[in-house]
Amino acid sequence: MQIKFNHTYFTYNPDTPFKVDALNDINLSLSENDITAIVGRTGSGKSTLVQLINKLLTPTSGEVHINDLVNAKKVKIKGKRIKEFRKEI
């Protein structure tokens, strides 16, 4: 399974005084059969990155591709399709 982030951004609480940019222009490709560690200090975006992979969050802009599945603001996935998406992960 290939996971690819294309110019992915994520902002918590957009359009509020509490706005926080968690991910800023992430371009990352994770290949099948590779072992990848995600490390960093508290608040660096590790959990946000994983939540985008599982479609628990939707990117503010950009896309996350998991094989032929896409997590993006312009792509709406609901119900049974989300289960399929998460099962693929």
Side-chain angles (χ1 to χ4, degrees), residues 54-56 81-89:
N54 282 312
K55 190 133 177 69
L56 295 170
R81 185 75 173 134
I82 287 178
K83 279 186 177 182
E84 292 172 22
F85 188 96
R86 290 180 182 152
K87 187 176 180 182
E88 184 71 24
I89 302 304

Side-chain angles (χ1 to χ4, degrees), residues 40-52:
R41 66 184 196 283
T42 301
S44 63
K46 303 177 301 287
S47 295
T48 303
L49 195 77
V50 172
Q51 289 178 50
L52 287 168

Side-chain angles (χ1 to χ4, degrees), residues 50-66:
V50 172
Q51 289 178 50
L52 287 168
I53 292 171
N54 282 312
K55 190 133 177 69
L56 295 170
L57 297 174
T58 300
T60 304
S61 66
E63 300 175 331
V64 180
H65 294 263
I66 295 99

